[in-house]
Amino acid sequence: MSLKSVAAKIFAKNIVNKTLKWVNNPIKAQEEVFKNLINSAKNTSFGKDHNFNKISSFQDFSKQVPVRDYEELKPYVEEVLKGKKDILWPGKPIYFAKTSGTTSGAKYIPITEESIKEQVNASRNAILTYIHETGNSSFVDGKMIFLQGSPELELKNGINVGRLSGISAHYVPNYLQKNRLPSWETNCIEDWETKVNAIVEETINEDMTVIAGIPSWVQMYFEKLNEKSKLKVGDLFKNFNLFIYGGVNYEPYRAKFENLIGRKVDSIELFPASEGFFAYQDSQKEKGMLLLLNSGIFYEFIKTDDFFEENSERLTIKDVEVGINYVMIISTNAGLWGYNLGDTVQFISLKPYRIIVSGRIKHFISAFGEHVIAKEVEQAMQEAIGATNASVNEFTVAPQITPRENELPYHEWLIEFERVPDNMEKFIETLDASLQNQNSYYYDLIVGNVLQTLKITEIRNGGFTSYMKSIGKLGGQNKVQRLSNDRKLANVLHKYSTTIS
């Protein structure tokens, strides 16, 4: 065992002990974060506009600060973009994470010195927690790759602007710099396919031990490695035993990954975003991710079913329940206040507070009142794959409101199969039955003959990749929308389809 490996274990134990202090006092941890945030920002423009000097409780805060999305916060952000100080947070942010918005064009999310420190620490602590639990630290001696956006930044009124993953590339600890791949030059390549090909060339003969990224794009990397080497990834990289991911649910990809790798590997799920780092998987034995309650983020939760109602109740962690779908609202040390992140979560444990990401508040199907969410379709897909020996590259779901004459409406699943099910009829039955079991509204619509059983449209091999490329969102942090309440995405994807079953 190397000196670096031994040191990692010692460091891991220290970090886990520190983590346990706030894990065992979660409400106190959030109260301290809340007080620090309000006190720090009371002299900012936002703080003055919302009477922060009079806020002494969460009840005061919820009266003074409404829930906002990016569009509603944008006037303040635009002032910061002009180079003005003390608008949302003391001073100026050190970065803007530029993301592509679906309705408002580019979004610029402020990142401060305080918030980037928490992001970096959370990434580090996720790995150290894994080391402490498993005792596996040998991977620190091998090569690690993080498939991410370009680290090149542009300067805008004295503030660096770039993608979050590219910004994060500037914060790789010194002790890991020699282990990190790809090279800076390769990482700066903008075209995703060119970049992945270059990464393959740089890594194919290395001792890769950790690979990280969004599953759909790591899958492309694995496929290219298979094609070039004629070997399974696990045979090519014999010491590869840890996959780190975030952004999407890994389960629909797991069977395909294990086939590409040739064996099972441990995985760590992360919940990072430009707006903050919210949670990470803290155990290989327990489901869900540990919600980070002392990391400069104050959390509120609104029940998804109530979210679009006037005066919907805003809850803190002391009032949440297991198994309820919540919209997560954040206030942060980057100057986001009562901010609707757009993600929905469910608590699967309150001791400690562990969550799963259940979807997006704007990404659901309720064309007939069923309110189907991402978690439900992903669970259904996982069950259908397991029941029929299928393998799926990618999929999305949309309602078909205007079917053929004399047909009932239905949900259309557009699926790109790596391996077609042994029994397609059983695959469809399993999908539909799982969705009915999880969602009583969908069950009632099926039983009541309002909807017919779902239908599948097969997308040709590489179809989803071609679609993402066509809209300029191939690779990086971009993800295929899992489900939608209209036909826009489905109609476009039909040109990549093969047959309808």
Side-chain angles (χ1 to χ4, degrees):
M1 187 179 292
S2 71
L3 185 60
K4 186 188 287 188
S5 180
V6 172
K9 285 188 175 184
I10 296 170
F11 191 24
K13 183 178 181 180
N14 181 45
I15 289 298
V16 168
N17 286 337
K18 285 184 177 180
T19 300
L20 285 174
K21 290 180 180 179
W22 63 260
V23 165
N24 292 329
N25 295 280
I27 294 171
K28 181 182 178 183
Q30 274 287 274
E31 288 173 347
E32 289 178 359
V33 168
F34 177 78
K35 290 175 184 176
N36 289 336
L37 291 175
I38 297 301
N39 187 57
S40 297
K42 63 185 179 184
N43 293 320
T44 63
S45 295
F46 190 95
K48 291 174 182 176
D49 290 346
H50 295 82
N51 300 310
F52 274 23
N53 62 332
K54 296 180 180 178
I55 292 176
S56 59
S57 68
F58 170 64
Q59 287 71 28
D60 294 339
F61 179 79
S62 60
K63 289 175 185 176
Q64 295 291 340
V65 181
V67 172
R68 285 178 166 92
D69 60 16
Y70 181 80
E71 279 299 298
E72 293 165 308
L73 194 68
K74 193 173 180 180
Y76 288 98
V77 176
E78 287 180 337
E79 291 298 296
V80 186
L81 279 166
K82 292 174 185 175
K84 295 184 179 180
K85 297 180 178 179
D86 304 328
I87 304 299
L88 288 164
W89 190 255
K92 294 198 293 187
I94 55 175
Y95 299 105
F96 272 111
K98 186 178 180 181
T99 67
S100 55
T102 54
T103 58
S104 57
K107 296 196 296 185
Y108 294 88
I109 307 299
I111 296 177
T112 61
E113 189 172 345
E114 294 90 341
S115 68
I116 192 65
K117 180 182 177 182
E118 298 292 358
Q119 292 242 13
V120 171
N121 286 346
S123 298
R124 177 201 68 191
N125 293 353
I127 297 174
L128 291 172
T129 301
Y130 168 82
I131 289 174
H132 183 72
E133 182 187 46
T134 65
N136 174 22
S137 62
S138 60
F139 62 84
V140 301
D141 296 315
K143 297 290 185 179
M144 307 177 187
I145 186 169
F146 299 86
L147 292 175
Q148 56 192 190
S150 171
E152 290 188 314
L153 307 174
E154 61 174 313
L155 204 61
K156 194 176 184 73
N157 291 323
I159 301 172
N160 284 304
V161 178
R163 300 187 187 103
L164 174 65
S165 60
I167 292 169
S168 300
H170 292 260
Y171 287 86
V172 176
N174 289 332
Y175 60 86
L176 290 180
Q177 285 290 359
K178 291 182 179 179
N179 302 66
R180 184 183 74 168
L181 288 171
S183 64
W184 186 269
E185 293 74 21
T186 295
N187 222 6
C188 289
I189 297 172
E190 286 290 342
D191 180 76
W192 186 253
E193 289 179 299
T194 304
K195 182 173 187 169
V196 173
N197 286 332
I199 290 172
V200 168
E201 293 297 329
E202 285 194 5
T203 59
I204 197 165
N205 295 315
E206 296 288 350
D207 178 23
M208 303 302 301
T209 57
V210 179
I211 296 172
I214 290 178
S216 50
W217 307 126
V218 175
Q219 179 177 306
M220 178 188 287
Y221 168 58
F222 284 172
E223 288 169 342
K224 288 181 179 291
L225 284 170
N226 282 173
E227 183 181 351
K228 186 171 180 64
S229 69
K230 310 302 180 188
L231 294 172
K232 297 284 188 181
V233 173
D235 293 328
L236 183 65
F237 303 140
K238 296 186 184 301
N239 295 312
F240 167 48
N241 281 301
L242 182 59
F243 172 52
I244 303 173
Y245 68 95
V248 298
N249 185 357
Y250 179 41
E251 293 310 317
Y253 301 93
R254 188 180 292 276
K256 176 68 184 294
F257 264 59
E258 289 178 357
N259 180 54
L260 288 167
I261 297 167
R263 53 183 165 82
K264 293 183 178 181
V265 298
D266 285 347
S267 60
I268 303 174
E269 182 178 8
L270 311 178
F271 185 10
S274 300
E275 294 86 351
F277 200 122
F278 310 115
Y280 60 72
Q281 182 181 347
D282 66 318
S283 175
Q284 295 293 301
K285 302 170 186 174
E286 304 290 339
K287 291 183 179 180
M289 294 176 285
L290 182 70
L291 187 64
L292 304 181
L293 300 174
N294 75 328
S295 300
I297 301 171
F298 178 71
Y299 299 93
E300 301 175 56
F301 303 91
I302 300 174
K303 290 181 180 179
T304 303
D305 290 345
D306 302 336
F307 183 73
F308 294 106
E309 295 180 4
E310 264 192 74
N311 301 316
S312 50
E313 187 177 11
R314 296 162 67 172
L315 307 172
T316 62
I317 58 162
K318 67 183 178 65
D319 298 311
V320 297
E321 302 172 60
V322 169
I324 303 293
N325 210 40
Y326 294 104
V327 180
M328 192 165 80
I329 309 299
I330 57 171
S331 297
T332 77
N333 55 9
L336 302 177
W337 302 101
Y339 186 85
N340 173 18
L341 185 68
D343 287 307
T344 61
V345 301
Q346 289 182 11
F347 286 88
I348 61 169
S349 166
L350 302 183
K351 291 185 177 181
Y353 284 91
R354 288 199 183 101
I355 59 170
I356 58 170
V357 180
S358 54
R360 299 278 294 169
I361 188 61
K362 292 183 179 179
H363 295 176
F364 57 86
I365 300 177
S366 199
F368 311 96
E370 62 273 43
H371 207 87
V372 169
I373 61 175
K375 172 184 173 289
E376 293 166 348
V377 299
E378 288 173 341
Q379 175 65 31
M381 177 60 78
Q382 188 179 344
E383 291 179 20
I385 287 172
T388 60
N389 195 35
S391 180
V392 169
N393 286 335
E394 193 57 87
F395 75 98
T396 190
V397 189
Q400 177 50 272
I401 301 170
T402 55
R404 296 170 184 169
E405 192 174 352
N406 298 322
E407 263 198 321
L408 290 174
Y410 56 89
H411 284 187
E412 180 183 17
W413 291 57
L414 300 99
I415 305 174
E416 181 183 323
F417 289 104
E418 169 72 16
R419 184 172 59 251
V420 176
D422 294 339
N423 184 327
M424 183 63 80
E425 187 176 331
K426 183 178 180 182
F427 184 87
I428 292 171
E429 288 175 357
T430 306
L431 277 180
D432 210 65
S434 176
L435 207 53
Q436 289 183 49
N437 288 336
Q438 295 180 79
N439 188 305
S440 60
Y441 301 110
Y442 182 75
Y443 169 82
D444 289 341
L445 291 167
I446 293 289
V447 173
N449 289 320
V450 177
L451 294 180
Q452 62 172 305
T453 299
L454 64 87
K455 293 190 177 186
I456 290 175
T457 296
E458 292 187 44
I459 302 300
R460 63 174 169 80
N461 190 261
F464 276 94
T465 296
S466 297
Y467 162 70
M468 294 296 281
K469 187 176 182 180
S470 74
I471 61 171
K473 291 191 175 183
L474 184 65
Q477 305 305 112
N478 299 305
K479 297 161 281 190
V480 173
Q481 187 170 319
R482 184 60 77 217
L483 71 176
S484 49
N485 204 38
D486 56 43
R487 297 286 307 165
K488 292 177 184 176
L489 175 57
N491 288 341
V492 174
L493 283 171
H494 265 263
K495 70 179 182 180
Y496 302 103
S497 68
T498 56
T499 59
I500 298 177
S501 59

